Amino acid sequence: MSSVFDRVRLVEQLGSDAIVDELLVMFTESITRHLTELTTALDTNNLNAAQHAVHNIKGISGSIYCRNLHQTAAVVDRMLKYGQIDLQSIKELRDAAEEFLAHIADR
């Protein structure tokens, strides 16, 4: 099982490679959009919007078995919820998202 993405588990849950492929297209677009929202929110010091974007990334990544991205998003989500910004954790979140997106693009 990959810490980037557990495709086997998702296919088992959904029953079809084709459905997983369609879902990944949607989720790739969503994660990319939420990363952009996160950047905008941080640039404008809007912690509520930043937390909302990260919370969405956490939910998406958890639902499609992206363990590393989900765990990293959970840490950042919790920090932002309490008004804390840790640039290193946000970098790790972006790195985990990019790793997932690259993993999907290689398929």
Side-chain angles (χ1 to χ4, degrees):
M1 174 175 61
S2 169
S3 64
V4 176
F5 171 61
D6 190 349
R7 182 181 181 89
V8 172
R9 189 166 175 195
L10 189 58
V11 170
E12 287 174 358
Q13 179 183 357
L14 298 177
S16 161
D17 273 314
I19 291 172
V20 168
D21 289 340
E22 288 179 35
L23 192 63
L24 289 176
V25 168
M26 288 186 336
F27 283 170
T28 297
E29 292 169 358
S30 293
I31 287 172
T32 301
R33 184 179 71 252
H34 293 306
L35 287 171
T36 300
E37 291 169 0
L38 173 62
T39 298
T40 301
L42 292 173
D43 287 347
T44 60
N45 204 30
N46 186 339
L47 295 185
N48 286 334
Q51 194 263 332
H52 182 74
V54 172
H55 187 79
N56 286 327
I57 292 170
K58 180 182 82 169
I60 291 167
S61 59
S63 68
I64 59 172
Y65 305 107
C66 299
R67 188 170 27 156
N68 187 39
L69 179 55
H70 182 258
Q71 289 173 346
T72 305
V75 169
V76 175
D77 182 44
R78 198 169 25 258
M79 288 174 22
L80 289 170
K81 185 176 182 179
Y82 293 105
Q84 301 171 346
I85 298 176
D86 175 41
L87 296 179
Q88 180 59 38
S89 294
I90 291 169
K91 180 187 179 316
E92 290 170 8
L93 171 68
R94 288 186 177 148
D95 289 348
E98 291 300 323
E99 181 181 35
F100 164 71
L101 295 171
H103 184 82
I104 297 306
D106 288 344
R107 182 162 170 10

